[in-house]
Amino acid sequence: MEGSQGLERLQALRAFVFEGSLEDSLQGQARECARLLDADSCSIMLLSGGATEEDGRLRVHAHAGAPGDRLPAAALEASIGRGEAICGQVLASGQALLVEDIGKSAYALLARRPGDPGRSMMSAPIRIDGRTVGVANVAGKGFTETDLVLFEVVCLFIGKSIQVAQLQHLLASRFAREALAHEAEGPALTAYRNPEQVARILARSFYKELTRAGFEAPQIVGATSEIIDQLNNKLHKRH
């Protein structure tokens, strides 16, 4: 029976190869991760908002779970720094964590539902090329060391999907390729390594291209306003 279950789990890993946008891919992977591990919920958090990897903060990019296990709005909007909360500690250590009964552990005060007897959780880093770019978390009951190993494998798939999505976006944009080729320092700088730095490079290149094309300051400000409007529309659709 155990061998059959193990084979089913291996076959289920094929579901972690998603197509479409990175947002859709992560949301699908959160659902599949919860299903694969028989977890009540799964959240995927990625680093953002820092000039360097060390000062970046974790934010929820995807979450799946039963109605009673959905994250509150405050948790969905929160940003977690290195060493803060359980996921922040995993980010700092770079090591996956299994808590078999969180109510009886040193992490009880950090749990959302510490009074739920026998509640387990796992948290693991998401890595790309050896660098941590995020943390995934699952909550449920009865997790074991075997589940932790499988969870770490799942996080490898999540990391690869992020890498592929970012590279596909860059390859699809001649402007992005040329901007990075001209301004990036060091080998193979890509968005997943330091998205904030890449965004600044693209912004500088966009400004230079508009100036070179003869646009005046008011037109450049108008183009910038259009970008902000598009971003606001996207954020509004999410809510």
Side-chain angles (χ1 to χ4, degrees):
M1 183 67 178
E2 290 183 1
S4 175
Q5 184 183 37
L7 180 60
E8 290 177 1
R9 282 184 159 188
L10 286 174
Q11 292 174 335
L13 289 175
R14 291 180 298 183
F16 282 85
V17 181
F18 280 85
E19 296 180 355
S21 69
L22 177 59
E23 182 177 348
D24 290 341
S25 176
L26 291 176
Q27 191 60 45
Q29 287 173 334
R31 290 193 301 268
E32 288 299 320
C33 183
R35 185 183 67 80
L36 182 62
L37 292 164
D38 195 23
D40 295 330
S41 64
C42 173
S43 62
I44 297 175
M45 310 179 76
L46 300 181
L47 277 173
S48 61
T52 66
E53 181 183 354
E54 285 67 30
D55 60 10
R57 299 182 70 81
L58 292 168
R59 290 179 172 82
V60 175
H61 280 246
H63 179 265
D69 285 279
R70 289 177 182 164
L71 291 175
L76 290 171
E77 298 296 329
S79 66
I80 308 297
R82 195 173 299 272
E84 300 174 7
I86 296 175
C87 57
Q89 293 182 24
V90 170
L91 174 65
S93 70
Q95 301 296 317
L97 174 69
L98 163 65
V99 183
E100 295 181 359
D101 188 340
I102 197 166
K104 297 180 180 179
S105 73
Y107 301 97
L109 294 178
L110 300 177
R112 287 199 302 122
R113 292 163 53 180
D116 192 350
R119 190 162 179 81
S120 300
M121 63 82 59
M122 295 187 291
S123 184
I126 300 169
R127 296 189 180 93
I128 297 176
D129 292 344
R131 302 180 67 173
T132 300
V133 299
V135 173
N137 313 281
V138 291
K141 291 189 176 181
F143 292 140
T144 66
E145 291 290 342
T146 300
D147 293 319
L148 183 64
V149 173
L150 178 60
F151 186 42
E152 290 184 277
V153 172
V154 167
C155 287
L156 289 176
F157 276 83
I158 295 173
K160 287 302 180 184
S161 74
I162 295 170
Q163 181 180 21
V164 169
Q166 295 283 10
L167 289 175
Q168 285 177 336
H169 283 306
L170 290 176
L171 290 173
S173 170
R174 187 176 68 179
F175 171 75
R177 293 199 307 271
E178 292 179 352
L180 292 176
H182 283 94
E183 296 199 32
E185 297 180 358
L189 176 64
T190 46
Y192 63 82
R193 286 182 177 273
N194 194 328
E196 283 72 27
Q197 183 180 355
V198 171
R200 287 194 295 271
I201 289 173
L202 296 180
R204 288 197 300 269
S205 297
F206 179 57
Y207 171 75
K208 291 177 181 178
E209 288 298 320
L210 289 176
T211 303
R212 190 178 296 120
F215 289 97
E216 300 293 337
Q219 287 83 44
I220 296 176
V221 171
T224 305
S225 299
E226 178 63 23
I227 293 174
I228 295 174
D229 288 342
Q230 293 295 323
L231 176 59
N232 286 334
N233 289 337
K234 182 176 182 179
L235 294 175
H236 179 72
K237 289 179 180 177
R238 286 184 178 178
H239 296 285

